Coordinates of all heavy atoms in Angstrom, one line a residue:
M24 N 4.0 -8.3 -7.1 CA 5.0 -9.3 -6.9 C 6.3 -8.6 -6.4 O 6.6 -7.5 -6.8 CB 5.3 -10.0 -8.2 CG 6.3 -11.1 -8.1 SD 6.6 -11.9 -9.7 CE 5.0 -12.0 -10.4
T25 N 7.1 -9.2 -5.5 CA 8.3 -8.7 -5.0 C 9.5 -9.3 -5.7 O 9.5 -10.5 -5.9 CB 8.4 -8.9 -3.5 OG1 7.3 -8.4 -2.8 CG2 9.6 -8.3 -2.9
T26 N 10.4 -8.5 -6.0 CA 11.7 -9.0 -6.7 C 12.8 -8.7 -5.7 O 13.2 -7.6 -5.5 CB 11.9 -8.2 -8.0 OG1 10.8 -8.3 -8.8 CG2 13.1 -8.8 -8.7
P27 N 13.3 -9.8 -5.0 CA 14.4 -9.6 -4.1 C 15.7 -9.2 -4.8 O 15.9 -9.6 -5.9 CB 14.6 -10.9 -3.4 CG 13.5 -11.8 -3.8 CD 12.8 -11.1 -5.0
A28 N 16.4 -8.3 -4.2 CA 17.7 -7.9 -4.7 C 18.8 -8.4 -3.8 O 18.6 -8.6 -2.6 CB 17.8 -6.4 -4.9
Y29 N 20.0 -8.6 -4.3 CA 21.1 -9.2 -3.5 C 21.7 -8.1 -2.6 O 22.4 -8.5 -1.7 CB 22.2 -9.7 -4.4 CG 21.7 -10.9 -5.2 CD1 21.4 -10.8 -6.5 CD2 21.5 -12.1 -4.5 CE1 20.9 -11.9 -7.2 CE2 21.0 -13.2 -5.2 CZ 20.7 -13.1 -6.6 OH 20.3 -14.2 -7.3
N30 N 21.4 -6.9 -2.7 CA 22.0 -5.8 -1.9 C 21.1 -5.5 -0.7 O 21.3 -4.4 -0.1 CB 22.3 -4.6 -2.7 CG 21.0 -4.0 -3.3 OD1 19.9 -4.5 -3.1 ND2 21.1 -2.9 -4.0
G31 N 20.2 -6.3 -0.3 CA 19.4 -6.1 0.9 C 18.2 -5.1 0.7 O 17.7 -4.5 1.6
S32 N 17.8 -5.0 -0.6 CA 16.7 -4.1 -0.9 C 15.8 -4.8 -1.9 O 16.2 -5.8 -2.5 CB 17.2 -2.8 -1.5 OG 17.8 -3.0 -2.7
A33 N 14.6 -4.4 -2.0 CA 13.6 -5.0 -2.9 C 12.6 -4.0 -3.5 O 12.4 -3.0 -2.8 CB 12.9 -6.1 -2.2
E34 N 12.1 -4.3 -4.6 CA 11.1 -3.4 -5.2 C 9.7 -4.2 -5.0 O 9.7 -5.4 -5.1 CB 11.3 -3.2 -6.7 CG 12.5 -2.4 -7.0 CD 12.8 -2.2 -8.5 OE1 11.9 -2.6 -9.3 OE2 13.8 -1.7 -8.8
L35 N 8.7 -3.4 -4.8 CA 7.4 -4.0 -4.7 C 6.6 -3.7 -6.0 O 6.4 -2.5 -6.4 CB 6.6 -3.4 -3.6 CG 7.1 -3.8 -2.2 CD1 6.2 -3.1 -1.1 CD2 7.1 -5.3 -1.9
D36 N 6.3 -4.7 -6.8 CA 5.6 -4.6 -8.0 C 4.1 -4.8 -7.7 O 3.6 -6.0 -7.7 CB 6.1 -5.6 -9.1 CG 5.4 -5.4 -10.4 OD1 4.8 -4.4 -10.7 OD2 5.4 -6.4 -11.2
L37 N 3.4 -3.8 -7.3 CA 2.0 -3.9 -6.8 C 1.0 -3.6 -7.9 O 1.1 -2.8 -8.7 CB 1.9 -2.9 -5.7 CG 2.8 -3.0 -4.5 CD1 2.6 -1.8 -3.5 CD2 2.8 -4.3 -3.8
T38 N -0.1 -4.4 -7.7 CA -1.3 -4.0 -8.5 C -1.9 -2.7 -8.0 O -1.5 -2.2 -6.9 CB -2.4 -5.1 -8.3 OG1 -2.9 -5.1 -7.0 CG2 -1.8 -6.5 -8.7
H39 N -2.8 -2.2 -8.7 CA -3.5 -1.0 -8.3 C -4.1 -1.1 -6.9 O -4.0 -0.3 -6.0 CB -4.5 -0.5 -9.3 CG -5.2 0.8 -8.9 ND1 -4.6 2.0 -9.0 CD2 -6.5 1.0 -8.5 CE1 -5.5 2.9 -8.6 NE2 -6.6 2.3 -8.3
A40 N -4.8 -2.2 -6.7 CA -5.5 -2.5 -5.4 C -4.5 -2.6 -4.3 O -4.7 -2.1 -3.2 CB -6.4 -3.7 -5.5
E41 N -3.4 -3.4 -4.5 CA -2.4 -3.5 -3.5 C -1.7 -2.2 -3.2 O -1.5 -1.9 -2.0 CB -1.3 -4.5 -4.0 CG -1.8 -6.0 -4.1 CD -0.9 -6.9 -4.9 OE1 0.0 -6.4 -5.6 OE2 -1.1 -8.1 -4.8
S42 N -1.4 -1.4 -4.2 CA -0.8 -0.1 -3.9 C -1.7 0.8 -3.1 O -1.3 1.5 -2.2 CB -0.5 0.6 -5.3 OG 0.1 1.8 -5.1
W43 N -3.0 0.7 -3.4 CA -4.0 1.5 -2.6 C -4.0 1.1 -1.2 O -4.0 2.0 -0.3 CB -5.4 1.3 -3.2 CG -6.5 2.0 -2.5 CD1 -7.3 1.4 -1.5 CD2 -6.8 3.4 -2.5 NE1 -8.1 2.4 -1.0 CE2 -7.8 3.6 -1.6 CE3 -6.3 4.5 -3.2 CZ2 -8.4 4.8 -1.4 CZ3 -6.8 5.7 -3.0 CH2 -7.9 5.9 -2.1
V44 N -4.0 -0.2 -0.9 CA -4.0 -0.7 0.5 C -2.7 -0.3 1.2 O -2.7 0.1 2.4 CB -4.2 -2.2 0.5 CG1 -4.0 -2.7 2.0 CG2 -5.6 -2.5 0.0
V45 N -1.6 -0.4 0.6 CA -0.3 -0.1 1.2 C -0.3 1.4 1.5 O 0.1 1.9 2.6 CB 0.9 -0.4 0.3 CG1 2.2 0.2 0.8 CG2 1.0 -1.9 0.2
H46 N -0.8 2.2 0.6 CA -0.9 3.7 0.8 C -1.8 4.0 2.0 O -1.4 4.8 2.9 CB -1.4 4.4 -0.5 CG -1.2 5.8 -0.5 ND1 -2.2 6.7 -0.1 CD2 -0.1 6.6 -0.8 CE1 -1.8 7.9 -0.2 NE2 -0.5 7.9 -0.6
A47 N -2.9 3.3 2.1 CA -3.9 3.5 3.2 C -3.2 3.1 4.5 O -3.4 3.8 5.5 CB -5.1 2.8 2.9
A48 N -2.5 2.1 4.5 CA -1.8 1.6 5.7 C -0.8 2.6 6.2 O -0.6 2.9 7.4 CB -1.2 0.2 5.5
V49 N 0.0 3.1 5.3 CA 1.0 4.1 5.6 C 0.4 5.4 6.1 O 0.8 6.0 7.1 CB 2.0 4.4 4.4 CG1 2.9 5.5 4.7 CG2 2.7 3.1 4.1
L50 N -0.7 5.9 5.5 CA -1.4 7.1 5.9 C -2.0 6.9 7.3 O -1.9 7.8 8.2 CB -2.5 7.5 5.0 CG -2.0 8.0 3.6 CD1 -3.2 8.3 2.7 CD2 -1.2 9.2 3.8
A51 N -2.5 5.7 7.6 CA -3.0 5.4 8.9 C -1.9 5.4 10.0 O -2.1 5.9 11.1 CB -3.7 4.0 9.0
A52 N -0.7 4.9 9.6 CA 0.4 5.0 10.5 C 0.9 6.4 10.8 O 1.2 6.8 11.9 CB 1.6 4.1 10.0
I53 N 0.8 7.2 9.7 CA 1.1 8.7 9.9 C 0.2 9.3 10.9 O 0.6 10.0 11.8 CB 1.1 9.4 8.5 CG1 2.3 9.0 7.7 CG2 1.1 10.9 8.7 CD1 2.3 9.5 6.3
E54 N -1.1 9.0 10.7 CA -2.1 9.6 11.7 C -1.9 9.1 13.1 O -2.0 9.9 14.0 CB -3.5 9.2 11.2 CG -3.9 9.9 9.9 CD -5.3 9.5 9.4 OE1 -6.1 8.9 10.2 OE2 -5.6 9.8 8.3
R55 N -1.6 7.8 13.3 CA -1.3 7.3 14.6 C -0.1 8.0 15.3 O -0.1 8.4 16.4 CB -1.1 5.8 14.6 CG -2.4 5.0 14.4 CD -2.2 3.5 14.7 NE -1.1 3.0 13.9 CZ -1.2 2.5 12.6 NH1 -2.4 2.6 12.0 NH2 -0.2 2.0 12.0
T56 N 0.9 8.2 14.5 CA 2.1 8.9 15.0 C 1.9 10.3 15.4 O 2.3 10.8 16.4 CB 3.3 8.8 13.9 OG1 3.5 7.4 13.6 CG2 4.5 9.4 14.4
L57 N 1.1 11.0 14.5 CA 0.8 12.4 14.8 C -0.1 12.5 16.1 O 0.1 13.4 16.9 CB 0.0 13.0 13.6 CG 0.9 13.3 12.4 CD1 0.0 13.7 11.2 CD2 1.9 14.4 12.7
D58 N -1.0 11.5 16.3 CA -1.8 11.5 17.5 C -1.0 11.4 18.7 O -1.5 11.8 19.8 CB -2.8 10.3 17.4 CG -3.9 10.6 16.4 OD1 -4.1 11.8 15.9 OD2 -4.7 9.6 16.0
T59 N 0.2 10.8 18.6 CA 1.1 10.7 19.8 C 1.9 11.9 20.1 O 2.7 12.0 21.0 CB 2.0 9.5 19.7 OG1 2.9 9.7 18.7 CG2 1.2 8.2 19.5
G60 N 1.8 12.9 19.1 CA 2.6 14.1 19.2 C 4.0 14.0 18.7 O 4.8 15.0 18.8
Q61 N 4.3 12.9 18.0 CA 5.6 12.8 17.4 C 5.5 13.1 15.9 O 4.5 13.2 15.3 CB 6.0 11.3 17.5 CG 6.2 10.9 19.0 CD 6.6 9.4 19.1 OE1 6.6 8.7 18.1 NE2 6.9 9.0 20.3
K62 N 6.7 13.3 15.3 CA 6.8 13.5 13.9 C 7.0 12.2 13.1 O 7.9 11.4 13.4 CB 8.0 14.5 13.6 CG 7.8 15.8 14.1 CD 8.9 16.7 13.7 CE 8.7 18.1 14.3 NZ 9.8 19.1 13.9
P63 N 6.1 12.0 12.1 CA 6.2 10.7 11.4 C 7.2 10.7 10.3 O 6.9 10.5 9.1 CB 4.8 10.6 10.9 CG 4.3 12.0 10.7 CD 5.0 12.8 11.8
M64 N 8.5 10.9 10.6 CA 9.5 11.0 9.6 C 9.6 9.7 8.7 O 9.6 9.8 7.5 CB 10.8 11.3 10.2 CG 10.8 12.6 11.0 SD 10.3 14.1 10.1 CE 11.8 14.3 9.1
Q65 N 9.8 8.6 9.4 CA 9.9 7.3 8.7 C 8.7 7.0 7.9 O 8.8 6.5 6.7 CB 10.2 6.2 9.6 CG 10.5 4.8 8.9 CD 10.8 3.7 9.9 OE1 10.3 3.7 11.0 NE2 11.6 2.8 9.5
E66 N 7.5 7.3 8.4 CA 6.3 7.0 7.7 C 6.2 7.9 6.4 O 5.7 7.4 5.4 CB 5.1 7.3 8.6 CG 4.9 6.3 9.8 CD 5.7 6.7 11.0 OE1 6.6 7.6 11.0 OE2 5.5 6.0 12.0
H67 N 6.6 9.1 6.5 CA 6.6 10.0 5.3 C 7.6 9.5 4.3 O 7.2 9.5 3.1 CB 6.9 11.4 5.7 CG 5.8 12.2 6.2 ND1 4.6 12.4 5.5 CD2 5.6 12.8 7.4 CE1 3.8 13.1 6.3 NE2 4.3 13.3 7.4
T68 N 8.7 9.0 4.7 CA 9.7 8.4 3.7 C 9.0 7.2 3.0 O 9.1 7.1 1.8 CB 11.0 8.0 4.4 OG1 11.6 9.1 5.0 CG2 11.9 7.3 3.5
L69 N 8.4 6.3 3.8 CA 7.7 5.2 3.2 C 6.6 5.6 2.3 O 6.4 5.0 1.2 CB 7.2 4.2 4.3 CG 8.3 3.5 5.0 CD1 7.7 2.7 6.2 CD2 9.0 2.5 4.1
R70 N 5.8 6.6 2.6 CA 4.7 7.1 1.8 C 5.3 7.5 0.4 O 4.8 7.2 -0.6 CB 4.0 8.2 2.5 CG 2.8 8.8 1.6 CD 2.3 10.1 2.1 NE 3.3 11.1 2.4 CZ 3.8 11.9 1.5 NH1 3.4 11.8 0.2 NH2 4.7 12.8 1.8
E71 N 6.4 8.3 0.5 CA 7.0 8.8 -0.8 C 7.5 7.6 -1.6 O 7.3 7.6 -2.8 CB 8.2 9.7 -0.5 CG 7.7 11.0 0.1 CD 8.9 11.9 0.6 OE1 10.0 11.4 0.5 OE2 8.6 13.0 1.2
K72 N 8.1 6.6 -1.0 CA 8.6 5.4 -1.7 C 7.4 4.6 -2.4 O 7.6 4.2 -3.5 CB 9.4 4.5 -0.8 CG 10.8 5.1 -0.6 CD 11.7 4.1 0.1 CE 13.1 4.6 0.1 NZ 14.1 3.6 0.5
V73 N 6.3 4.5 -1.6 CA 5.2 3.8 -2.2 C 4.6 4.6 -3.4 O 4.4 4.0 -4.4 CB 4.1 3.6 -1.1 CG1 2.8 3.2 -1.7 CG2 4.5 2.6 0.0
E74 N 4.5 5.9 -3.2 CA 3.9 6.7 -4.3 C 4.8 6.7 -5.5 O 4.3 6.9 -6.6 CB 3.7 8.1 -3.8 CG 2.5 8.2 -2.8 CD 2.3 9.5 -2.2 OE1 3.1 10.4 -2.4 OE2 1.4 9.7 -1.4
E75 N 6.1 6.6 -5.4 CA 7.0 6.7 -6.5 C 7.6 5.3 -6.9 O 8.5 5.3 -7.7 CB 8.2 7.6 -6.1 CG 7.6 9.1 -5.9 CD 8.7 10.0 -5.4 OE1 9.9 9.7 -5.6 OE2 8.3 11.1 -4.9
D76 N 7.0 4.2 -6.4 CA 7.5 2.9 -6.8 C 9.0 2.7 -6.6 O 9.6 2.2 -7.5 CB 7.0 2.5 -8.2 CG 5.5 2.5 -8.3 OD1 4.9 2.0 -7.4 OD2 5.0 2.9 -9.4
E77 N 9.5 3.1 -5.5 CA 11.0 3.0 -5.3 C 11.3 1.7 -4.6 O 10.5 0.9 -4.2 CB 11.4 4.2 -4.5 CG 11.3 5.5 -5.2 CD 12.0 6.6 -4.5 OE1 12.9 6.4 -3.7 OE2 11.6 7.8 -4.7
T78 N 12.6 1.5 -4.4 CA 13.2 0.3 -3.8 C 13.1 0.5 -2.3 O 13.4 1.6 -1.8 CB 14.6 0.1 -4.2 OG1 14.6 -0.1 -5.7 CG2 15.2 -1.2 -3.6
F79 N 12.8 -0.6 -1.5 CA 12.7 -0.6 -0.1 C 13.9 -1.4 0.5 O 14.2 -2.4 0.0 CB 11.4 -1.2 0.4 CG 10.2 -0.4 0.0 CD1 9.6 -0.6 -1.3 CD2 9.7 0.5 0.8 CE1 8.5 0.0 -1.7 CE2 8.5 1.2 0.4 CZ 8.0 1.0 -0.8
T80 N 14.5 -0.9 1.6 CA 15.5 -1.6 2.3 C 14.7 -2.7 3.2 O 13.5 -2.6 3.4 CB 16.3 -0.7 3.3 OG1 15.4 -0.2 4.3 CG2 16.9 0.4 2.6
D81 N 15.5 -3.7 3.7 CA 14.9 -4.7 4.5 C 14.2 -4.1 5.8 O 13.1 -4.5 6.1 CB 15.9 -5.7 5.0 CG 16.3 -6.7 3.9 OD1 15.6 -6.7 2.9 OD2 17.2 -7.5 4.1
S82 N 14.8 -3.1 6.4 CA 14.2 -2.5 7.6 C 12.9 -1.7 7.2 O 12.0 -1.7 8.0 CB 15.2 -1.5 8.3 OG 15.6 -0.5 7.5
E83 N 12.9 -1.1 6.0 CA 11.7 -0.4 5.6 C 10.6 -1.4 5.3 O 9.4 -1.2 5.6 CB 12.0 0.4 4.3 CG 12.8 1.7 4.6 CD 13.3 2.4 3.4 OE1 13.4 1.7 2.3 OE2 13.6 3.6 3.5
L84 N 11.0 -2.6 4.7 CA 10.0 -3.6 4.5 C 9.4 -4.2 5.8 O 8.2 -4.4 5.9 CB 10.6 -4.7 3.6 CG 10.8 -4.4 2.2 CD1 11.5 -5.5 1.5 CD2 9.5 -4.1 1.4
R85 N 10.3 -4.3 6.8 CA 9.8 -4.7 8.1 C 8.8 -3.7 8.7 O 7.8 -4.1 9.3 CB 11.0 -5.0 9.0 CG 11.7 -6.2 8.8 CD 12.8 -6.5 9.8 NE 13.5 -7.7 9.5 CZ 14.5 -7.8 8.6 NH1 15.0 -6.7 8.0 NH2 15.1 -8.9 8.4
R86 N 9.1 -2.5 8.6 CA 8.2 -1.4 9.1 C 6.9 -1.4 8.3 O 5.8 -1.3 8.9 CB 8.9 0.0 9.0 CG 8.1 1.1 9.5 CD 7.9 1.1 11.0 NE 7.2 2.3 11.4 CZ 6.0 2.2 12.0 NH1 5.5 1.1 12.4 NH2 5.4 3.4 12.3
L87 N 7.0 -1.6 7.0 CA 5.8 -1.6 6.1 C 5.0 -2.8 6.5 O 3.7 -2.7 6.5 CB 6.2 -1.7 4.7 CG 5.2 -1.4 3.6 CD1 4.5 0.0 3.9 CD2 5.8 -1.4 2.2
R88 N 5.6 -3.9 6.8 CA 4.9 -5.1 7.2 C 4.1 -4.9 8.5 O 2.9 -5.2 8.6 CB 5.8 -6.3 7.4 CG 5.2 -7.6 7.9 CD 6.2 -8.7 8.1 NE 7.1 -8.3 9.1 CZ 8.2 -9.0 9.4 NH1 8.5 -10.1 8.8 NH2 9.0 -8.6 10.4
Q89 N 4.7 -4.2 9.4 CA 4.1 -3.8 10.7 C 2.9 -2.9 10.4 O 1.8 -3.1 11.0 CB 5.1 -3.2 11.6 CG 4.5 -2.7 12.9 CD 5.5 -1.9 13.8 OE1 6.5 -1.4 13.3 NE2 5.2 -1.8 15.0
M90 N 3.1 -1.9 9.6 CA 2.0 -1.0 9.3 C 0.8 -1.7 8.6 O -0.3 -1.4 9.0 CB 2.5 0.1 8.3 CG 3.5 1.1 8.9 SD 4.0 2.2 7.6 CE 5.2 3.2 8.5
L91 N 1.1 -2.6 7.7 CA 0.1 -3.3 7.0 C -0.7 -4.2 8.0 O -1.9 -4.3 7.9 CB 0.6 -4.1 5.9 CG 0.7 -3.5 4.5 CD1 1.6 -4.3 3.6 CD2 -0.6 -3.2 3.9
S92 N 0.0 -4.9 8.8 CA -0.6 -5.8 9.8 C -1.5 -5.0 10.7 O -2.7 -5.5 10.9 CB 0.5 -6.5 10.6 OG 1.2 -7.4 9.8
T93 N -1.1 -3.9 11.2 CA -1.9 -3.1 12.0 C -3.2 -2.6 11.3 O -4.3 -2.6 11.8 CB -1.1 -1.9 12.6 OG1 0.0 -2.4 13.3 CG2 -2.0 -1.0 13.5
Y94 N -2.9 -2.1 10.1 CA -4.1 -1.6 9.3 C -5.1 -2.7 9.0 O -6.3 -2.4 9.1 CB -3.5 -1.0 7.9 CG -4.6 -0.6 7.0 CD1 -5.3 0.6 7.2 CD2 -4.9 -1.4 5.9 CE1 -6.3 1.0 6.4 CE2 -5.9 -1.0 5.0 CZ -6.6 0.2 5.3 OH -7.7 0.6 4.4
L95 N -4.6 -3.9 8.7 CA -5.6 -5.0 8.3 C -6.4 -5.4 9.5 O -7.4 -6.1 9.3 CB -4.8 -6.1 7.7 CG -4.2 -5.8 6.3 CD1 -3.4 -7.0 5.8 CD2 -5.3 -5.5 5.3
E96 N -6.0 -5.1 10.7 CA -6.8 -5.5 11.9 C -8.2 -4.9 11.8 O -9.1 -5.5 12.4 CB -6.1 -5.1 13.2 CG -4.8 -5.9 13.4 CD -4.1 -5.5 14.6 OE1 -4.5 -4.5 15.3 OE2 -3.0 -6.0 14.9
S97 N -8.3 -3.7 11.2 CA -9.6 -3.0 11.2 C -9.9 -2.5 9.8 O -10.7 -1.6 9.7 CB -9.7 -1.9 12.2 OG -8.6 -1.0 12.0
A98 N -9.3 -3.0 8.8 CA -9.5 -2.5 7.4 C -10.8 -2.9 6.8 O -11.4 -3.9 7.3 CB -8.4 -3.1 6.5
P99 N -11.3 -2.2 5.9 CA -12.5 -2.6 5.1 C -12.3 -3.9 4.5 O -11.1 -4.2 4.1 CB -12.7 -1.5 4.1 CG -11.9 -0.3 4.6 CD -10.8 -0.9 5.4
E100 N -13.3 -4.7 4.3 CA -13.2 -6.0 3.7 C -12.5 -6.0 2.4 O -11.7 -6.9 2.0 CB -14.6 -6.6 3.6 CG -14.6 -8.1 3.1 CD -13.9 -9.0 4.1 OE1 -14.0 -8.8 5.3 OE2 -13.3 -10.0 3.6
R101 N -12.8 -5.0 1.6 CA -12.2 -4.9 0.2 C -10.6 -4.8 0.3 O -10.0 -5.2 -0.7 CB -12.7 -3.7 -0.5 CG -12.3 -2.4 0.0 CD -12.7 -1.2 -0.8 NE -12.2 0.0 -0.2 CZ -12.7 0.7 0.8 NH1 -13.9 0.4 1.2 NH2 -12.1 1.8 1.2
D102 N -10.1 -4.4 1.4 CA -8.6 -4.2 1.5 C -7.9 -5.4 2.0 O -6.7 -5.5 1.9 CB -8.3 -3.0 2.4 CG -8.7 -1.7 1.8 OD1 -9.1 -1.6 0.6 OD2 -8.6 -0.7 2.5
V103 N -8.6 -6.4 2.6 CA -8.0 -7.5 3.2 C -7.2 -8.4 2.2 O -6.0 -8.7 2.5 CB -9.0 -8.4 4.0 CG1 -8.4 -9.6 4.6 CG2 -9.6 -7.5 5.1
E104 N -7.8 -8.8 1.2 CA -7.1 -9.7 0.2 C -5.9 -9.1 -0.4 O -4.8 -9.7 -0.4 CB -8.1 -10.2 -0.9 CG -7.5 -11.2 -1.8 CD -8.4 -11.7 -2.9 OE1 -9.7 -11.8 -2.6 OE2 -8.0 -12.1 -4.0
P105 N -6.0 -7.8 -1.0 CA -4.8 -7.3 -1.5 C -3.7 -7.0 -0.4 O -2.5 -7.1 -0.7 CB -5.2 -6.0 -2.2 CG -6.6 -5.8 -1.8 CD -7.2 -7.0 -1.2
G106 N -4.2 -6.6 0.8 CA -3.2 -6.4 1.9 C -2.5 -7.7 2.3 O -1.3 -7.6 2.5
E107 N -3.2 -8.8 2.4 CA -2.6 -10.0 2.7 C -1.6 -10.5 1.6 O -0.6 -11.1 1.9 CB -3.7 -11.1 2.9 CG -4.5 -10.9 4.2 CD -3.7 -11.2 5.4 OE1 -2.6 -11.9 5.4 OE2 -4.1 -10.6 6.5
A108 N -1.9 -10.2 0.3 CA -1.0 -10.5 -0.7 C 0.3 -9.8 -0.6 O 1.4 -10.3 -0.7 CB -1.7 -10.2 -2.1
V109 N 0.2 -8.5 -0.3 CA 1.4 -7.7 -0.1 C 2.2 -8.2 1.1 O 3.5 -8.3 1.1 CB 1.1 -6.2 0.1 CG1 2.4 -5.4 0.4 CG2 0.4 -5.6 -1.2
L110 N 1.5 -8.5 2.2 CA 2.2 -9.1 3.4 C 3.0 -10.4 3.0 O 4.1 -10.6 3.4 CB 1.2 -9.4 4.5 CG 0.8 -8.2 5.3 CD1 -0.3 -8.7 6.3 CD2 1.9 -7.6 6.0
G111 N 2.4 -11.2 2.1 CA 3.0 -12.4 1.7 C 4.3 -12.1 0.9 O 5.3 -12.7 1.1
Y112 N 4.2 -11.1 0.0 CA 5.4 -10.7 -0.8 C 6.5 -10.3 0.2 O 7.7 -10.7 0.0 CB 5.1 -9.5 -1.7 CG 4.0 -9.7 -2.7 CD1 3.3 -8.6 -3.2 CD2 3.7 -10.9 -3.2 CE1 2.3 -8.7 -4.1 CE2 2.7 -11.1 -4.2 CZ 2.0 -10.0 -4.6 OH 1.0 -10.1 -5.6
I113 N 6.1 -9.4 1.2 CA 7.1 -8.9 2.1 C 7.8 -10.1 2.9 O 9.0 -10.1 3.1 CB 6.5 -7.8 3.0 CG1 6.2 -6.6 2.2 CG2 7.5 -7.5 4.1 CD1 5.4 -5.6 2.9
R114 N 6.9 -11.0 3.4 CA 7.5 -12.1 4.2 C 8.4 -12.9 3.4 O 9.5 -13.3 3.9 CB 6.3 -12.9 4.7 CG 5.5 -12.3 5.8 CD 4.4 -13.2 6.3 NE 3.6 -12.4 7.3 CZ 2.3 -12.2 7.1 NH1 1.6 -12.7 6.1 NH2 1.6 -11.5 8.0
R115 N 8.1 -13.2 2.2 CA 9.0 -14.0 1.3 C 10.3 -13.3 1.1 O 11.4 -13.9 0.9 CB 8.3 -14.4 0.0 CG 7.2 -15.5 0.2 CD 6.7 -16.0 -1.1 NE 6.1 -15.0 -1.9 CZ 4.8 -14.6 -1.8 NH1 4.0 -15.1 -0.9 NH2 4.3 -13.7 -2.6
T116 N 10.3 -12.0 1.0 CA 11.4 -11.2 0.6 C 12.4 -11.1 1.8 O 13.6 -11.2 1.6 CB 11.0 -9.8 0.2 OG1 10.2 -10.0 -1.0 CG2 12.2 -9.0 -0.2
I117 N 11.9 -10.9 3.0 CA 12.8 -10.6 4.2 C 12.9 -11.8 5.1 O 13.3 -11.6 6.2 CB 12.3 -9.4 5.0 CG1 10.9 -9.6 5.5 CG2 12.4 -8.1 4.1 CD1 10.4 -8.4 6.4
Q118 N 12.7 -13.0 4.6 CA 12.8 -14.2 5.5 C 14.1 -14.2 6.2 O 15.2 -14.0 5.8 CB 12.7 -15.4 4.6 CG 11.2 -15.6 4.2 CD 11.1 -16.9 3.4 OE1 12.0 -17.7 3.3 NE2 9.9 -17.1 2.9

């Protein structure tokens, strides 16, 4: 569940399955960035925040939404439902 904050940031209160899917999406984004020869600085920041259950800014949530959407296009079936749940949380938070 996402808890919006008034300062333009939010925490993601994720289940184990949701956290796993978000982590997988961020790792996939890191790999795609490395494949282009670029350094995945923003992706590494998001990975650390996911792993440490930290607060995300609106721009980070938008980037995370993009990563999740891309990941879910070819994700294993088991990841679709928890991934869609997280996308719903993010959409409601950054409307």
Side-chain angles (χ1 to χ4, degrees):
M24 183 180 319
T25 302
T26 306
Y29 293 105
N30 63 359
S32 64
E34 293 179 9
L35 294 177
D36 182 21
L37 304 174
T38 66
H39 180 72
E41 292 166 345
S42 182
W43 176 260
V44 172
V45 171
H46 193 263
V49 173
L50 290 178
I53 289 171
E54 289 178 15
R55 284 191 307 275
T56 301
L57 288 171
D58 287 346
T59 67
Q61 299 176 351
K62 293 184 181 182
M64 303 302 286
Q65 185 181 30
E66 291 85 350
H67 279 298
T68 299
L69 288 174
R70 180 191 52 81
E71 290 171 1
K72 286 189 168 194
V73 167
E74 290 174 356
E75 297 178 17
D76 294 323
E77 291 189 24
T78 301
F79 296 86
T80 66
D81 283 349
S82 64
E83 289 170 334
L84 287 174
R85 284 184 181 86
R86 180 70 176 122
L87 194 56
R88 178 181 61 189
Q89 178 186 19
M90 290 176 183
L91 271 168
S92 295
T93 300
Y94 175 74
L95 290 175
E96 290 174 3
S97 60
E100 186 64 32
R101 70 176 183 269
D102 290 354
V103 174
E104 185 177 330
E107 289 292 337
V109 176
L110 282 176
Y112 301 154
I113 293 171
R114 286 183 186 121
R115 287 188 299 275
T116 300
I117 59 175
Q118 288 183 9

